[in-house]
Amino acid sequence: MAPEKDAFEGVEWRIRVADGSSEVPVTDTGLARKVWVKTKDLFSCLGLKVWMFLKKAWEIGANDPRKVIHCFKVGLALTLVSLFYFMRPLYDGVGGNAMWALMTVVLVFEPNVGATLYKCLNRIFATFVAGFLALGVHWIASRSGDRFEPYVVGASVFLLASMATFSRFIPSVKSLFDYGAMVFILTFSFVVVSGYRVDKLFDFAHQRISTIFIGTSLCILVIILVCPIWCGQELHGLTVRNMDKLADSLNSCVTHYFTYINGEDDKRLQGYKCVLSSKASEDSMANFARWEPSHGRFNFRHPWKQYLKIGASMRSCAYCIEALNSCINKENKAAESIKKHLSTSCLKVSSSSSSAIRELAQSVKKMKSPTVHTCIGEMNRAVEELQNDLKSLSHLLDPSTTVENKEHETPFLKAIGSVPFMEIIPVVTLASVLIEIAVRTEALVGSVEELAKLADFVTNDDKSKKSEMKDKIVPDEEKPEGTMEALQRV
Amino acid sequence: MAPEKDAFEGVEWRIRVADGSSEVPVTDTGLARKVWVKTKDLFSCLGLKVWMFLKKAWEIGANDPRKVIHCFKVGLALTLVSLFYFMRPLYDGVGGNAMWALMTVVLVFEPNVGATLYKCLNRIFATFVAGFLALGVHWIASRSGDRFEPYVVGASVFLLASMATFSRFIPSVKSLFDYGAMVFILTFSFVVVSGYRVDKLFDFAHQRISTIFIGTSLCILVIILVCPIWCGQELHGLTVRNMDKLADSLNSCVTHYFTYINGEDDKRLQGYKCVLSSKASEDSMANFARWEPSHGRFNFRHPWKQYLKIGASMRSCAYCIEALNSCINKENKAAESIKKHLSTSCLKVSSSSSSAIRELAQSVKKMKSPTVHTCIGEMNRAVEELQNDLKSLSHLLDPSTTVENKEHETPFLKAIGSVPFMEIIPVVTLASVLIEIAVRTEALVGSVEELAKLADFVTNDDKSKKSEMKDKIVPDEEKPEGTMEALQRV
């Protein structure tokens, strides 16, 4: 605001125009200039905001082109359903009720196959049930005389809408039929209340059902045939990525502490935060994935729930990495001599457990049974080594035991003699958290092994025995995702 | 299944009938009996399942009667909107398009005020914009001749639907207008495509807008006037409850470790898990709360985002409590003597920091500026004491320093001489995590203080100065939640 003030105190303002010359702006009145400056500011500010917004939008599209494809898919589905308006025979075929098909497409179309199928099947099922129930209630209401009909209809709407709404609070109903309950309320109240004004109620209900069926079929066709995004595949990929991130941040966190390779890759260090924050998306993906038919390497009854258990195991590791990070950023620094003493074994533990996690990620990615026994063995040996190193600190506390070990500990333990205990604590805490991480890594191995068992991952024995299983483990890119087969099952 | 098998092997089955006598079941053919047993099993199994389901539903309702009230509210709103069908003048008034009002109620009615207002305002705004845009496009299309009209309409639907869908991926749009974008697509394609078949398109658009307006107004009236559930109040309550849970589990976790009061209250111990898992609900509540008008003790521009920061601080404490828990459940037990040595100061740190957190919860609950300086001072003193206790272990490592301190440490340090270092590690880790928790508690205090500043919480100075502020801190139960005032602002 300061320059503006100056302007009013007699400083001449010049505007540089396109050709490079500058001219004095119109200054006949203070007000005009004020308005001009304000308007210019406003527009440049607005222009900047719009520019930033467009840039942001471009980045989103460039980072994940599938989002752009999804948008075009929505456009395509809507344009296709518009044909029911544009083509006379189609329009007459649905008795001018094409709007339900249009509405279905807008309400049901989701970015991934699982969510779309969930909504489609819920919508069809709920429309059927509600439609028949509404016809029944209408029949009863119409038999109860003109005077009582509105009361019967009103009471039935009140009761069934309340009950259906309540069912949405019950977890088992919510996870399977949340959208269905809403469509049920909509269709039921719609058909039964319209019954009061519409004469041919059966035709009305029939048209609603058939147009909704047209809309959902179109959605399913478009979502599965045009660059499908499978929820299950996404969940699978997310799990693999999160494991890799976990391994990376564990490794770089400990390496960073002991070797001072600073600022190398803050993003890798913070990778565990993705693991901490992905619970909600894992839950919803696992919920939608079970609606998906067999696709790619996944069967219809792939154990998606096991992925949630793996996610929980990963998060329990991530909590420990959080604690590790806080050890590292602590104010009271650790003694160099102690750090040096424990660094080898600590680095061994972290590198072996992170390579175990990476191995797990690879096995999940390739859908092979995990072969992490060597990694885990190495990790356990490293943990033992670390515990021995910690124990060797112990001799300092108990002078009686040091006598017989004196010969091989002298160089280090003499040096350590002058270290204040407070400077040992951070390293000891770190080592102790690392041991805990090793324990939790084993739990993670357990949950991945369970997945391998439940999902019939290829074991090494299978591989050597059966050559026909080979095509099952061909990576995504080389094999079309079995969409036609998937479609036939819908 | 064992008894069934026995039956086939010649054991006679008797059925006890209502009057107390028992009779042999019809056993003319093995098949009939088989079918009878199977059917009975099926029905008893089904009956049990239905019974369990109903019991579960009853529990949900009994635990939170507001859910039941919400269901009746939905029923009420739908019954009210049905009046547009039952009353001739109303039905004719909206040109037989009462269905849009009905549909609006079903789609827009949410359990809390914030979400409902968000959807209502989005729906009205998007319908207006899309309606006008559609009329414009229709005008252009109708000028382009019969042959090109469907192409112009189709292209516009494709383009605008794609663009609106894409906008839903942009975070800033998503958080404010996600539902609006969907309604925009629906209304736009609906009006512009109908334009191809409907003659009086302006009337059509006008009716859609006015019925949607009726539906949303009715929803807003019912949601605010009948036992309103305010998202902001819920978020506020959740934050307070989570703080209490955090304090409880911190305290009981450490007490449990040092005093062996086992199995006392596993629920209290695990309270921190609620804090870990409440991020998603906090996010959505904060998002909806900003749509709510002034209600109760909250202004329209209450700093809801700050609650998210408080939530993040609480979670960072909860991660540490997770680490604490893992220390406690470790296999290698700590030495009793060391535990005893550190127990007093550890318990002091945990009790003082948990009482600081409880104090914070109280101050947020009562909307007073937090007065935790005494608690925090106490906590810091306890941390210092703990650090000194840890340092006193240090003398064992460095024999040269123990000489002058020998007199007051002898009883303990003599005992400790025979403790293996490995048995010290768990307690030292625990102490070190506790110190970290104290640091994070201070961060939590900081974020609550920021909330107090942003939301103009009553300070102690205010209280003594201004007596008219008194009514502002009357608890919920004693003051109606200002619904009328809130309604006027909508």
Side-chain angles (χ1 to χ4, degrees):
Chain A
M1 296 307 276
E4 263 178 61
K5 248 187 182 167
D6 292 344
F8 289 111
E9 278 153 39
V11 178
E12 192 184 76
W13 274 58
R14 301 188 83 89
I15 294 174
R16 186 174 292 251
V17 289
D19 58 38
S21 71
S22 67
E23 34 179 81
V24 185
V26 193
T27 51
D28 44 350
T29 60
L31 186 72
R33 192 169 50 188
K34 220 171 168 177
V35 168
W36 161 249
V37 170
K38 287 261 171 202
T39 317
K40 211 180 59 175
D41 276 8
L42 193 78
F43 272 93
S44 63
C45 179
L46 207 75
L48 192 73
K49 274 200 175 168
V50 169
W51 173 244
M52 294 300 288
F53 181 82
L54 289 178
K55 212 175 137 191
K56 175 101 195 158
W58 179 263
E59 274 167 16
I60 288 170
N63 285 340
D64 191 357
R66 296 187 308 172
K67 286 179 180 166
V68 182
I69 295 173
H70 166 66
C71 300
F72 288 137
K73 276 160 80 177
V74 173
L76 176 68
L78 274 176
T79 316
L80 284 178
V81 90
S82 306
L83 293 180
F84 277 84
Y85 280 87
F86 298 145
M87 296 179 166
R88 192 86 232 174
L90 285 179
Y91 187 73
D92 293 338
V94 295
N97 276 310
M99 64 166 186
W100 296 115
L102 194 83
M103 207 142 80
T104 301
V105 171
V106 176
L107 292 178
V108 146
F109 213 95
E110 292 282 329
N112 58 64
V113 181
T116 309
L117 280 178
Y118 154 75
K119 281 192 157 185
C120 284
L121 297 179
N122 260 270
R123 196 172 173 91
I124 292 175
F125 177 71
T127 306
F128 258 101
V129 173
F132 279 107
L133 209 60
L135 287 178
V137 170
H138 172 69
W139 185 82
I140 294 169
S142 61
R143 293 275 165 302
S144 62
D146 273 0
R147 196 164 158 195
F148 290 108
E149 191 178 343
Y151 295 102
V152 173
V153 170
S156 73
V157 166
F158 182 84
L159 268 181
L160 277 162
S162 302
M163 278 163 65
T165 307
F166 186 75
S167 77
R168 295 174 74 182
F169 288 120
I170 300 167
S172 56
V173 177
K174 190 178 170 65
S175 75
L176 275 174
F177 302 116
D178 190 51
Y179 184 67
M182 203 176 79
V183 175
F184 174 87
I185 302 173
L186 186 60
T187 305
F188 178 78
S189 38
F190 193 51
V191 173
V192 83
V193 170
S194 299
Y196 197 68
R197 292 287 166 203
V198 178
D199 293 327
K200 292 178 180 171
L201 192 65
F202 189 78
D203 286 356
F204 181 79
H206 172 250
Q207 275 167 9
R208 183 169 154 87
I209 289 174
S210 56
T211 43
I212 282 181
F213 191 75
I214 290 168
T216 48
S217 316
L218 194 84
C219 280
I220 292 173
L221 275 174
V222 172
I223 200 85
I224 292 186
L225 289 183
V226 187
C227 308
I229 298 173
W230 299 92
C231 234
Q233 216 164 28
E234 295 293 297
L235 177 58
H236 189 85
L238 178 73
T239 306
V240 172
R241 273 199 309 281
N242 274 352
M243 274 189 209
D244 278 333
K245 276 179 189 166
L246 201 66
D248 277 353
S249 62
L250 169 59
N251 205 19
S252 52
C253 179
V254 178
T255 314
H256 169 79
Y257 184 65
F258 283 107
T259 60
Y260 307 102
I261 304 172
N262 210 335
E264 44 145 358
D265 212 342
D266 207 41
K267 213 177 158 189
R268 286 182 70 176
L269 211 73
Q270 304 287 325
Y272 71 94
K273 286 189 180 167
C274 293
V275 181
L276 286 179
S277 64
S278 58
K279 187 177 184 297
S281 53
E282 275 173 18
D283 282 348
S284 79
M285 278 192 218
N287 197 20
F288 290 136
R290 56 181 167 164
W291 292 87
E292 289 175 351
S294 177
H295 61 279
R297 301 171 293 162
F298 308 104
N299 295 325
F300 174 58
R301 284 186 164 281
H302 195 76
W304 299 117
K305 287 219 162 166
Q306 187 60 28
Y307 286 83
L308 298 184
K309 285 186 191 162
I310 294 177
S313 301
M314 280 199 279
R315 264 188 298 285
S316 88
C317 286
Y319 295 146
C320 280
I321 298 181
E322 232 274 344
L324 261 194
N325 253 340
S326 75
C327 293
I328 287 168
N329 300 323
K330 262 217 177 117
E331 278 169 37
N332 46 345
K333 289 292 167 209
E336 282 310 311
S337 51
I338 303 282
K339 268 175 93 169
K340 224 175 219 164
H341 178 58
L342 293 177
S343 73
T344 319
S345 49
C346 278
L347 284 171
K348 258 188 202 166
V349 172
S350 76
S351 75
S352 60
S353 59
S354 65
S355 61
I357 297 174
R358 252 186 229 113
E359 193 65 43
L360 285 180
Q362 279 304 309
S363 79
V364 172
K365 194 178 177 186
K366 292 180 180 159
M367 298 186 82
K368 289 195 302 192
S369 268
T371 47
V372 285
H373 300 294
T374 42
C375 280
I376 292 293
E378 211 174 284
M379 183 180 83
N380 287 335
R381 272 192 302 280
V383 167
E384 255 171 52
E385 207 175 297
L386 176 58
Q387 275 169 333
N388 285 335
D389 281 351
L390 286 171
K391 267 178 201 155
S392 75
L393 291 176
S394 147
H395 300 301
L396 292 167
L397 288 176
D398 187 2
S400 62
T401 58
T402 41
V403 181
E404 62 265 34
N405 298 312
K406 210 106 200 176
E407 56 274 20
H408 64 93
E409 278 169 5
T410 336
F412 164 65
L413 289 178
K414 264 190 182 156
I416 218 175
S418 59
V419 173
F421 191 66
M422 287 309 280
E423 294 193 6
I424 299 181
I425 292 176
V427 197
V428 168
T429 308
L430 182 128
S432 150
V433 173
L434 259 181
I435 294 172
E436 180 65 24
I437 287 179
V439 172
R440 297 191 177 188
T441 304
E442 280 200 76
L444 180 59
V445 172
S447 50
V448 172
E449 273 171 352
E450 207 181 324
L451 174 70
K453 217 170 68 189
L454 290 171
D456 279 332
F457 278 6
V458 186
T459 60
N460 282 333
D461 303 345
D462 294 346
K463 256 169 86 186
S464 50
K465 274 186 216 154
K466 302 174 194 171
S467 62
E468 73 264 32
M469 292 284 265
K470 251 180 192 169
D471 60 341
K472 210 177 175 185
I473 52 159
V474 171
D476 294 1
E477 302 81 50
E478 288 167 55
K479 198 189 168 193
E481 272 149 9
T483 46
M484 282 314 294
E485 174 204 1
L487 196 63
Q488 280 155 15
R489 293 200 187 200
V490 169
Chain B
M1 295 308 276
E4 263 179 62
K5 249 188 183 169
D6 292 345
F8 289 111
E9 276 152 40
V11 178
E12 192 185 76
W13 275 59
R14 299 188 83 88
I15 294 174
R16 187 174 291 254
V17 289
D19 58 40
S21 70
S22 66
E23 28 178 85
V24 184
V26 192
T27 51
D28 45 351
T29 60
L31 186 73
R33 193 169 51 186
K34 223 170 169 177
V35 169
W36 161 250
V37 170
K38 287 262 170 200
T39 318
K40 214 179 59 174
D41 275 9
L42 192 78
F43 271 93
S44 64
C45 179
L46 207 76
L48 192 73
K49 274 200 175 167
V50 170
W51 173 245
M52 293 301 288
F53 181 81
L54 289 178
K55 213 176 137 191
K56 175 99 195 159
W58 179 264
E59 272 167 17
I60 289 171
N63 285 340
D64 192 357
R66 296 187 308 173
K67 286 180 179 165
V68 182
I69 295 173
H70 166 66
C71 299
F72 289 137
K73 276 159 80 176
V74 174
L76 176 68
L78 274 177
T79 316
L80 284 179
V81 90
S82 306
L83 293 180
F84 277 85
Y85 280 87
F86 298 145
M87 296 179 166
R88 190 87 231 174
L90 285 179
Y91 188 73
D92 293 339
V94 294
N97 276 309
M99 61 164 188
W100 295 116
L102 194 82
M103 205 142 80
T104 301
V105 171
V106 176
L107 293 177
V108 146
F109 213 93
E110 291 282 330
N112 58 64
V113 181
T116 309
L117 280 178
Y118 155 74
K119 280 192 155 183
C120 284
L121 298 179
N122 260 270
R123 195 171 173 91
I124 292 176
F125 177 71
T127 305
F128 258 101
V129 173
F132 280 106
L133 209 60
L135 286 178
V137 170
H138 172 70
W139 185 81
I140 294 168
S142 61
R143 291 276 163 305
S144 62
D146 274 358
R147 196 165 158 195
F148 290 108
E149 193 177 343
Y151 296 102
V152 173
V153 169
S156 74
V157 167
F158 182 84
L159 267 181
L160 278 162
S162 301
M163 279 163 66
T165 306
F166 187 76
S167 76
R168 296 173 74 183
F169 289 120
I170 301 166
S172 55
V173 176
K174 188 178 173 63
S175 74
L176 275 174
F177 301 115
D178 190 51
Y179 184 67
M182 203 177 79
V183 175
F184 174 86
I185 302 172
L186 185 61
T187 306
F188 177 78
S189 38
F190 193 51
V191 173
V192 82
V193 170
S194 298
Y196 196 67
R197 293 284 166 205
V198 177
D199 294 327
K200 291 179 180 172
L201 192 65
F202 189 79
D203 285 356
F204 180 80
H206 173 250
Q207 274 167 9
R208 182 168 155 87
I209 289 174
S210 56
T211 43
I212 282 181
F213 192 74
I214 291 168
T216 48
S217 315
L218 194 83
C219 281
I220 293 174
L221 275 173
V222 172
I223 200 86
I224 292 185
L225 289 183
V226 187
C227 308
I229 298 173
W230 300 92
C231 233
Q233 216 164 26
E234 295 292 297
L235 177 60
H236 190 84
L238 178 73
T239 307
V240 171
R241 272 199 310 281
N242 273 352
M243 273 188 210
D244 278 332
K245 276 179 189 166
L246 200 68
D248 276 353
S249 63
L250 170 59
N251 205 20
S252 52
C253 179
V254 178
T255 314
H256 169 77
Y257 184 66
F258 284 108
T259 59
Y260 307 101
I261 305 173
N262 210 336
E264 45 144 358
D265 213 343
D266 206 42
K267 211 175 158 191
R268 286 182 71 177
L269 211 74
Q270 303 287 325
Y272 71 94
K273 286 188 180 168
C274 292
V275 181
L276 286 179
S277 65
S278 58
K279 185 175 186 296
S281 52
E282 276 173 17
D283 283 349
S284 81
M285 278 191 217
N287 197 20
F288 290 136
R290 57 182 166 162
W291 292 88
E292 289 176 352
S294 178
H295 61 278
R297 301 171 294 164
F298 309 104
N299 295 325
F300 174 58
R301 286 187 162 280
H302 194 76
W304 299 116
K305 289 221 160 166
Q306 187 60 29
Y307 285 83
L308 298 184
K309 284 185 192 162
I310 294 177
S313 302
M314 280 198 280
R315 265 188 298 284
S316 88
C317 286
Y319 296 145
C320 281
I321 297 181
E322 231 274 343
L324 261 196
N325 253 341
S326 75
C327 294
I328 286 170
N329 300 323
K330 263 220 176 114
E331 279 169 36
N332 45 346
K333 289 291 167 209
E336 283 309 311
S337 51
I338 304 280
K339 268 175 94 168
K340 224 175 220 166
H341 177 57
L342 292 176
S343 74
T344 320
S345 49
C346 277
L347 284 170
K348 256 188 204 166
V349 172
S350 77
S351 75
S352 60
S353 59
S354 66
S355 62
I357 298 174
R358 252 186 229 113
E359 192 65 44
L360 285 180
Q362 279 303 310
S363 78
V364 172
K365 192 177 180 187
K366 293 181 181 159
M367 299 185 82
K368 290 193 301 190
S369 267
T371 48
V372 285
H373 300 295
T374 42
C375 280
I376 291 295
E378 212 174 283
M379 184 180 82
N380 286 336
R381 271 194 302 281
V383 167
E384 256 171 52
E385 207 175 295
L386 176 58
Q387 274 169 333
N388 285 334
D389 281 352
L390 286 170
K391 267 179 203 156
S392 75
L393 292 176
S394 146
H395 299 302
L396 291 168
L397 289 175
D398 186 3
S400 63
T401 58
T402 41
V403 181
E404 62 266 32
N405 297 313
K406 209 107 198 177
E407 56 273 22
H408 64 94
E409 279 169 5
T410 336
F412 163 67
L413 289 179
K414 262 191 183 153
I416 219 175
S418 59
V419 173
F421 190 66
M422 287 309 279
E423 294 194 5
I424 299 181
I425 292 177
V427 197
V428 168
T429 308
L430 181 130
S432 150
V433 173
L434 260 181
I435 293 171
E436 180 65 25
I437 288 179
V439 172
R440 296 190 179 188
T441 305
E442 279 201 78
L444 180 59
V445 172
S447 51
V448 173
E449 272 171 353
E450 207 181 323
L451 173 70
K453 218 171 68 188
L454 289 170
D456 278 333
F457 278 6
V458 186
T459 60
N460 282 333
D461 302 345
D462 293 346
K463 255 170 87 185
S464 51
K465 273 185 215 155
K466 301 174 194 172
S467 61
E468 74 263 32
M469 293 285 264
K470 252 183 193 168
D471 59 341
K472 212 178 173 184
I473 53 159
V474 170
D476 295 1
E477 302 81 50
E478 290 168 53
K479 200 188 166 193
E481 270 150 9
T483 45
M484 283 314 294
E485 173 204 2
L487 195 64
Q488 281 156 14
R489 292 201 185 200
V490 170

